[in-house]
CSV table of all heavy atoms in Angstrom, one decimal:
chain,number,residue,atom,x,y,z
P,190,LEU,N,0.8,-1.2,-0.1
P,190,LEU,CA,0.0,0.0,0.0
P,190,LEU,C,0.8,1.3,0.0
P,190,LEU,O,0.3,2.3,-0.3
P,190,LEU,CB,-1.0,0.0,1.2
P,190,LEU,CG,-2.0,-1.2,1.4
P,190,LEU,CD1,-2.7,-1.2,2.6
P,190,LEU,CD2,-2.8,-1.3,0.2
P,191,TYR,N,2.1,1.2,0.3
P,191,TYR,CA,2.9,2.4,0.4
P,191,TYR,C,3.9,2.3,-0.9
P,191,TYR,O,3.9,3.0,-1.8
P,191,TYR,CB,3.6,2.5,1.7
P,191,TYR,CG,4.6,3.7,1.8
P,191,TYR,CD1,4.1,5.0,1.5
P,191,TYR,CD2,5.8,3.7,2.4
P,191,TYR,CE1,5.0,6.1,1.6
P,191,TYR,CE2,6.6,4.6,2.5
P,191,TYR,CZ,6.2,5.9,2.0
P,191,TYR,OH,7.0,7.0,2.1
P,192,LYS,N,5.1,1.5,-0.7
P,192,LYS,CA,6.1,1.5,-1.8
P,192,LYS,C,6.8,0.1,-1.5
P,192,LYS,O,6.7,-0.4,-0.4
P,192,LYS,CB,7.0,2.7,-1.9
P,192,LYS,CG,7.8,2.9,-0.6
P,192,LYS,CD,8.6,4.2,-0.8
P,192,LYS,CE,9.3,4.6,0.4
P,192,LYS,NZ,10.2,5.8,0.4
P,193,PRO,N,7.5,-0.4,-2.6
P,193,PRO,CA,8.3,-1.6,-2.4
P,193,PRO,C,9.1,-1.5,-1.1
P,193,PRO,O,9.9,-0.5,-0.9
P,193,PRO,CB,9.0,-1.7,-3.6
P,193,PRO,CG,8.3,-0.9,-4.6
P,193,PRO,CD,7.6,0.1,-3.9
P,194,LEU,N,9.4,-2.6,-0.4
P,194,LEU,CA,10.3,-2.7,0.8
P,194,LEU,C,11.7,-2.2,0.5
P,194,LEU,O,12.2,-2.7,-0.6
P,194,LEU,CB,10.3,-4.1,1.4
P,194,LEU,CG,9.0,-4.5,2.2
P,194,LEU,CD1,8.9,-6.0,2.5
P,194,LEU,CD2,8.8,-3.8,3.4
P,195,PRO,N,12.1,-1.4,1.3
P,195,PRO,CA,13.5,-1.0,1.0
P,195,PRO,C,14.6,-1.9,1.4
P,195,PRO,O,14.3,-2.9,2.1
P,195,PRO,CB,13.6,0.3,2.0
P,195,PRO,CG,12.7,0.0,3.1
P,195,PRO,CD,11.6,-0.8,2.5
P,196,ASP,N,15.8,-1.7,0.9
P,196,ASP,CA,16.9,-2.5,1.2
P,196,ASP,C,17.4,-2.3,2.5
P,196,ASP,O,17.9,-3.4,3.3
P,196,ASP,CB,18.1,-2.3,0.2
P,196,ASP,CG,17.7,-2.8,-1.2
P,196,ASP,OD1,16.8,-3.7,-1.5
P,196,ASP,OD2,18.2,-2.2,-2.2
P,197,CYS,N,17.2,-1.1,3.1
P,197,CYS,CA,17.7,-0.8,4.4
P,197,CYS,C,16.7,-0.9,5.5
P,197,CYS,O,15.6,-0.3,5.4
P,197,CYS,CB,18.3,0.7,4.4
P,197,CYS,SG,18.9,1.2,5.9
P,198,TYR,N,17.0,-1.6,6.5
P,198,TYR,CA,16.0,-1.8,7.6
P,198,TYR,C,15.8,-0.5,8.3
P,198,TYR,O,14.6,-0.3,8.7
P,198,TYR,CB,16.8,-2.8,8.6
P,198,TYR,CG,16.1,-3.1,9.9
P,198,TYR,CD1,14.8,-3.7,10.1
P,198,TYR,CD2,16.8,-2.6,11.1
P,198,TYR,CE1,14.2,-3.8,11.3
P,198,TYR,CE2,16.2,-2.8,12.4
P,198,TYR,CZ,14.9,-3.5,12.3
P,198,TYR,OH,14.2,-3.6,13.7
P,199,ASP,N,16.7,0.2,8.6
P,199,ASP,CA,16.4,1.5,9.2
P,199,ASP,C,15.5,2.4,8.4
P,199,ASP,O,14.7,3.2,9.0
P,199,ASP,CB,17.8,2.2,9.5
P,199,ASP,CG,18.6,1.7,10.6
P,199,ASP,OD1,18.0,0.9,11.3
P,199,ASP,OD2,19.8,1.8,10.5
P,200,ASP,N,15.6,2.5,7.1
P,200,ASP,CA,14.6,3.1,6.3
P,200,ASP,C,13.3,2.7,6.5
P,200,ASP,O,12.3,3.5,6.6
P,200,ASP,CB,15.1,3.1,4.8
P,200,ASP,CG,16.3,3.8,4.4
P,200,ASP,OD1,16.8,4.6,5.3
P,200,ASP,OD2,16.9,3.6,3.4
P,201,PHE,N,13.1,1.4,6.5
P,201,PHE,CA,11.7,0.8,6.7
P,201,PHE,C,11.1,1.3,8.1
P,201,PHE,O,10.0,1.7,8.2
P,201,PHE,CB,11.8,-0.7,6.7
P,201,PHE,CG,10.6,-1.4,7.3
P,201,PHE,CD1,9.5,-1.4,6.6
P,201,PHE,CD2,10.7,-1.9,8.6
P,201,PHE,CE1,8.3,-2.2,7.0
P,201,PHE,CE2,9.4,-2.6,9.1
P,201,PHE,CZ,8.4,-2.8,8.4
P,202,LYS,N,12.0,1.3,9.1
P,202,LYS,CA,11.5,1.7,10.4
P,202,LYS,C,11.2,3.2,10.4
P,202,LYS,O,10.0,3.5,11.0
P,202,LYS,CB,12.6,1.5,11.7
P,202,LYS,CG,12.9,0.1,11.9
P,202,LYS,CD,13.3,-0.2,13.3
P,202,LYS,CE,14.5,0.8,13.7
P,202,LYS,NZ,14.8,0.6,15.0
P,203,ALA,N,12.0,4.0,9.9
P,203,ALA,CA,11.7,5.4,9.9
P,203,ALA,C,10.4,5.8,9.1
P,203,ALA,O,9.6,6.6,9.5
P,203,ALA,CB,12.9,6.1,9.2
P,204,ASP,N,10.3,5.1,7.9
P,204,ASP,CA,9.0,5.3,7.1
P,204,ASP,C,7.8,4.9,7.8
P,204,ASP,O,6.7,5.6,7.9
P,204,ASP,CB,9.1,4.6,5.8
P,204,ASP,CG,10.1,5.3,4.9
P,204,ASP,OD1,10.5,6.4,5.0
P,204,ASP,OD2,10.5,4.5,3.9
P,205,ILE,N,7.8,3.7,8.4
P,205,ILE,CA,6.6,3.2,9.3
P,205,ILE,C,6.3,4.2,10.4
P,205,ILE,O,5.0,4.5,10.5
P,205,ILE,CB,6.8,1.8,9.7
P,205,ILE,CG1,6.8,0.8,8.6
P,205,ILE,CG2,5.9,1.5,10.9
P,205,ILE,CD1,5.3,0.6,8.1
P,206,HIS,N,7.3,4.7,11.0
P,206,HIS,CA,7.1,5.6,12.2
P,206,HIS,C,6.5,6.9,11.8
P,206,HIS,O,5.6,7.5,12.4
P,206,HIS,CB,8.4,5.9,13.0
P,206,HIS,CG,8.1,6.6,14.3
P,206,HIS,ND1,7.3,6.3,15.1
P,206,HIS,CD2,8.6,7.8,14.6
P,206,HIS,CE1,7.3,7.1,16.2
P,206,HIS,NE2,8.3,8.1,15.9
P,207,ARG,N,7.0,7.2,10.6
P,207,ARG,CA,6.4,8.6,10.0
P,207,ARG,C,5.0,8.4,9.6
P,207,ARG,O,4.1,9.2,9.7
P,207,ARG,CB,7.3,9.0,8.8
P,207,ARG,CG,6.8,10.2,8.1
P,207,ARG,CD,7.8,10.7,7.0
P,207,ARG,NE,8.3,9.6,6.1
P,207,ARG,CZ,7.4,9.1,5.2
P,207,ARG,NH1,6.2,9.7,4.9
P,207,ARG,NH2,7.8,8.1,4.3
P,208,LEU,N,4.7,7.3,8.9
P,208,LEU,CA,3.2,7.0,8.5
P,208,LEU,C,2.3,6.8,9.7
P,208,LEU,O,1.1,7.2,9.7
P,208,LEU,CB,3.2,5.8,7.6
P,208,LEU,CG,3.9,5.8,6.2
P,208,LEU,CD1,4.1,4.4,5.6
P,208,LEU,CD2,3.3,6.8,5.3
P,209,PHE,N,2.8,6.0,10.7
P,209,PHE,CA,1.9,5.7,11.8
P,209,PHE,C,2.8,5.9,13.1
P,209,PHE,O,3.6,5.1,13.6
P,209,PHE,CB,1.5,4.1,11.8
P,209,PHE,CG,0.8,3.8,10.5
P,209,PHE,CD1,1.4,3.0,9.6
P,209,PHE,CD2,-0.5,4.1,10.4
P,209,PHE,CE1,0.7,2.7,8.4
P,209,PHE,CE2,-1.2,3.7,9.2
P,209,PHE,CZ,-0.6,3.0,8.3
P,210,PRO,N,2.7,7.2,13.7
P,210,PRO,CA,3.5,7.5,14.8
P,210,PRO,C,3.1,6.8,16.2
P,210,PRO,O,4.0,6.7,17.0
P,210,PRO,CB,3.2,9.0,15.1
P,210,PRO,CG,2.6,9.5,13.8
P,210,PRO,CD,1.8,8.3,13.2
P,211,TYR,N,2.0,6.1,16.2
P,211,TYR,CA,1.5,5.4,17.4
P,211,TYR,C,1.1,4.0,17.0
P,211,TYR,O,0.0,3.7,16.5
P,211,TYR,CB,0.4,6.2,18.0
P,211,TYR,CG,0.6,7.7,18.2
P,211,TYR,CD1,0.0,8.6,17.2
P,211,TYR,CD2,1.4,8.2,19.1
P,211,TYR,CE1,0.2,9.9,17.4
P,211,TYR,CE2,1.6,9.6,19.2
P,211,TYR,CZ,1.1,10.3,18.3
P,211,TYR,OH,1.2,11.8,18.4
P,212,VAL,N,2.0,3.0,17.1
P,212,VAL,CA,1.7,1.6,17.0
P,212,VAL,C,1.8,0.9,18.3
P,212,VAL,O,2.8,1.0,19.0
P,212,VAL,CB,2.8,1.2,15.9
P,212,VAL,CG1,2.7,-0.4,15.8
P,212,VAL,CG2,2.7,1.8,14.6
P,213,TYR,N,1.0,0.0,18.5
P,213,TYR,CA,0.8,-0.8,19.7
P,213,TYR,C,0.6,-2.3,19.4
P,213,TYR,O,-0.3,-2.6,18.7
P,213,TYR,CB,-0.3,-0.3,20.6
P,213,TYR,CG,-0.2,1.2,21.1
P,213,TYR,CD1,-0.7,2.1,20.4
P,213,TYR,CD2,0.4,1.4,22.3
P,213,TYR,CE1,-0.6,3.4,20.9
P,213,TYR,CE2,0.6,2.7,22.8
P,213,TYR,CZ,0.1,3.7,22.0
P,213,TYR,OH,0.3,5.0,22.5
P,214,ASP,N,1.7,-3.0,19.8
P,214,ASP,CA,1.6,-4.5,19.5
P,214,ASP,C,1.0,-5.2,20.9
P,214,ASP,O,1.8,-5.2,21.9
P,214,ASP,CB,2.9,-5.0,19.2
P,214,ASP,CG,2.9,-6.4,18.8
P,214,ASP,OD1,2.1,-7.2,19.2
P,214,ASP,OD2,3.8,-6.7,18.0
P,215,THR,N,-0.2,-5.8,21.0
P,215,THR,CA,-0.7,-6.2,22.1
P,215,THR,C,0.1,-7.4,22.6
P,215,THR,O,0.1,-7.8,23.7
P,215,THR,CB,-2.2,-6.7,21.9
P,215,THR,OG1,-2.4,-7.4,20.8
P,215,THR,CG2,-3.0,-5.4,21.7
P,216,LYS,N,0.8,-8.2,21.7
P,216,LYS,CA,1.6,-9.4,22.2
P,216,LYS,C,2.7,-8.9,23.0
P,216,LYS,O,3.0,-9.3,24.2
P,216,LYS,CB,2.0,-10.2,21.1
P,216,LYS,CG,2.8,-11.5,21.5
P,216,LYS,CD,3.1,-12.3,20.3
P,216,LYS,CE,3.7,-13.6,20.7
P,216,LYS,NZ,2.8,-14.6,21.4
P,217,HIS,N,3.4,-7.9,22.5
P,217,HIS,CA,4.6,-7.3,23.2
P,217,HIS,C,4.0,-6.6,24.6
P,217,HIS,O,4.7,-6.8,25.6
P,217,HIS,CB,5.3,-6.3,22.3
P,217,HIS,CG,6.4,-5.5,23.1
P,217,HIS,ND1,7.6,-6.0,23.4
P,217,HIS,CD2,6.4,-4.2,23.5
P,217,HIS,CE1,8.3,-5.2,24.0
P,217,HIS,NE2,7.6,-4.1,24.1
P,218,ILE,N,3.0,-5.9,24.6
P,218,ILE,CA,2.4,-5.2,25.7
P,218,ILE,C,2.0,-6.3,26.8
P,218,ILE,O,2.5,-6.1,28.0
P,218,ILE,CB,1.2,-4.4,25.4
P,218,ILE,CG1,1.7,-3.1,24.5
P,218,ILE,CG2,0.6,-3.8,26.6
P,218,ILE,CD1,0.7,-2.4,24.0
P,219,ALA,N,1.4,-7.2,26.4
P,219,ALA,CA,1.0,-8.4,27.3
P,219,ALA,C,2.1,-9.0,28.0
P,219,ALA,O,2.3,-9.3,29.2
P,219,ALA,CB,0.2,-9.4,26.6
P,220,PHE,N,3.2,-9.2,27.2
P,220,PHE,CA,4.4,-9.9,27.8
P,220,PHE,C,5.1,-8.8,28.8
P,220,PHE,O,5.6,-9.4,29.8
P,220,PHE,CB,5.4,-10.2,26.6
P,220,PHE,CG,6.6,-10.8,27.0
P,220,PHE,CD1,6.7,-12.1,27.4
P,220,PHE,CD2,7.9,-10.0,27.0
P,220,PHE,CE1,7.9,-12.7,27.7
P,220,PHE,CE2,9.0,-10.6,27.5
P,220,PHE,CZ,9.1,-11.9,27.8
P,221,LYS,N,5.2,-7.6,28.5
P,221,LYS,CA,5.8,-6.7,29.4
P,221,LYS,C,5.0,-6.4,30.6
P,221,LYS,O,5.5,-6.4,31.7
P,221,LYS,CB,6.1,-5.4,28.6
P,221,LYS,CG,7.2,-5.4,27.5
P,221,LYS,CD,8.7,-5.8,28.3
P,221,LYS,CE,9.7,-5.7,27.2
P,221,LYS,NZ,11.0,-5.8,27.8
P,222,ILE,N,3.6,-6.2,30.5
P,222,ILE,CA,2.8,-5.8,31.6
P,222,ILE,C,2.8,-6.8,32.6
P,222,ILE,O,2.8,-6.5,33.8
P,222,ILE,CB,1.4,-5.5,31.0
P,222,ILE,CG1,1.4,-4.2,30.1
P,222,ILE,CG2,0.4,-5.3,32.1
P,222,ILE,CD1,1.8,-2.9,30.9
P,223,ARG,N,2.8,-8.1,32.2
P,223,ARG,CA,2.6,-9.2,33.2
P,223,ARG,C,3.8,-9.3,34.2
P,223,ARG,O,3.7,-9.9,35.2
P,223,ARG,CB,2.3,-10.5,32.6
P,223,ARG,CG,3.5,-11.1,31.9
P,223,ARG,CD,3.0,-12.3,31.1
P,223,ARG,NE,4.2,-13.1,30.5
P,223,ARG,CZ,4.1,-14.1,29.7
P,223,ARG,NH1,2.9,-14.7,29.6
P,223,ARG,NH2,5.2,-14.6,29.1
P,224,LYS,N,4.9,-8.6,33.8
P,224,LYS,CA,6.2,-8.5,34.7
P,224,LYS,C,6.2,-7.4,35.6
P,224,LYS,O,7.2,-7.3,36.3
P,224,LYS,CB,7.3,-8.7,33.7
P,224,LYS,CG,7.5,-9.9,32.9
P,224,LYS,CD,8.8,-9.9,32.0
P,224,LYS,CE,9.0,-11.1,31.3
P,224,LYS,NZ,10.4,-11.2,30.5
P,225,GLN,N,5.2,-6.5,35.5
P,225,GLN,CA,5.2,-5.3,36.4
P,225,GLN,C,4.9,-5.7,37.8
P,225,GLN,O,4.1,-6.5,38.1
P,225,GLN,CB,4.3,-4.3,35.8
P,225,GLN,CG,4.7,-3.8,34.5
P,225,GLN,CD,6.0,-3.1,34.4
P,225,GLN,OE1,6.4,-2.3,35.3
P,225,GLN,NE2,6.8,-3.5,33.4
P,226,PRO,N,5.6,-5.0,38.8
P,226,PRO,CA,5.5,-5.3,40.2
P,226,PRO,C,3.8,-5.1,40.6
P,226,PRO,O,3.3,-5.7,41.5
P,226,PRO,CB,6.4,-4.4,40.9
P,226,PRO,CG,6.7,-3.2,40.0
P,226,PRO,CD,6.5,-3.9,38.6
P,227,GLN,N,3.2,-4.1,40.0
P,227,GLN,CA,1.8,-3.8,40.3
P,227,GLN,C,0.9,-5.0,39.9
P,227,GLN,O,-0.3,-5.2,40.5
P,227,GLN,CB,1.4,-2.6,39.5
P,227,GLN,CG,1.9,-1.3,40.0
P,227,GLN,CD,3.2,-1.1,39.2
P,227,GLN,OE1,3.6,-1.9,38.5
P,227,GLN,NE2,4.0,0.1,39.4
P,228,LEU,N,1.4,-6.0,39.1
P,228,LEU,CA,0.5,-7.1,38.7
P,228,LEU,C,1.1,-8.4,39.0
P,228,LEU,O,0.9,-9.5,38.5
P,228,LEU,CB,0.4,-7.1,37.1
P,228,LEU,CG,-0.3,-5.9,36.5
P,228,LEU,CD1,-0.4,-5.9,35.1
P,228,LEU,CD2,-1.8,-5.7,37.1
P,229,LYS,N,2.0,-8.5,40.1
P,229,LYS,CA,2.5,-9.6,40.5
P,229,LYS,C,1.7,-10.7,41.1
P,229,LYS,O,1.9,-11.8,41.1
P,229,LYS,CB,3.6,-9.3,41.7
P,229,LYS,CG,3.1,-8.7,42.9
P,229,LYS,CD,4.1,-8.5,43.9
P,229,LYS,CE,3.5,-7.8,45.2
P,229,LYS,NZ,4.6,-7.5,46.1
P,230,GLU,N,0.5,-10.2,41.5
P,230,GLU,CA,-0.6,-11.2,42.0
P,230,GLU,C,-1.5,-11.6,40.8
P,230,GLU,O,-2.5,-12.4,41.0
P,230,GLU,CB,-1.4,-10.5,43.1
P,230,GLU,CG,-0.6,-10.2,44.4
P,230,GLU,CD,-1.4,-9.5,45.3
P,230,GLU,OE1,-2.6,-9.3,45.2
P,230,GLU,OE2,-0.8,-9.3,46.4
P,231,CYS,N,-1.4,-11.0,39.7
P,231,CYS,CA,-2.3,-11.4,38.6
P,231,CYS,C,-1.9,-12.8,38.0
P,231,CYS,O,-0.8,-13.0,37.6
P,231,CYS,CB,-2.1,-10.5,37.4
P,231,CYS,SG,-3.1,-10.8,35.9
């Protein structure tokens, strides 16, 4: 939907961040959140 994938990995990251400044991955968030001390009893 944007343009062919670039050869440079950093270019890909910079373009995605410019297109979508707020990206949230629920798998990553769930993995990190469950380790927080506030949720030790969860």
Side-chain angles (χ1 to χ4, degrees):
L190 302 178
Y191 179 51
K192 59 184 180 182
L194 285 166
D196 295 330
C197 179
Y198 168 68
D199 288 336
D200 289 345
F201 166 77
K202 290 206 313 176
D204 285 343
I205 283 290
H206 185 54
R207 177 175 49 81
L208 295 169
F209 303 107
Y211 311 103
V212 173
Y213 297 89
D214 188 331
T215 51
K216 186 176 183 70
H217 174 72
I218 291 172
F220 179 78
K221 288 292 187 178
I222 289 298
R223 68 185 185 183
K224 296 183 176 182
Q225 296 302 311
Q227 293 85 358
L228 300 177
K229 61 182 180 181
E230 298 178 358
C231 180

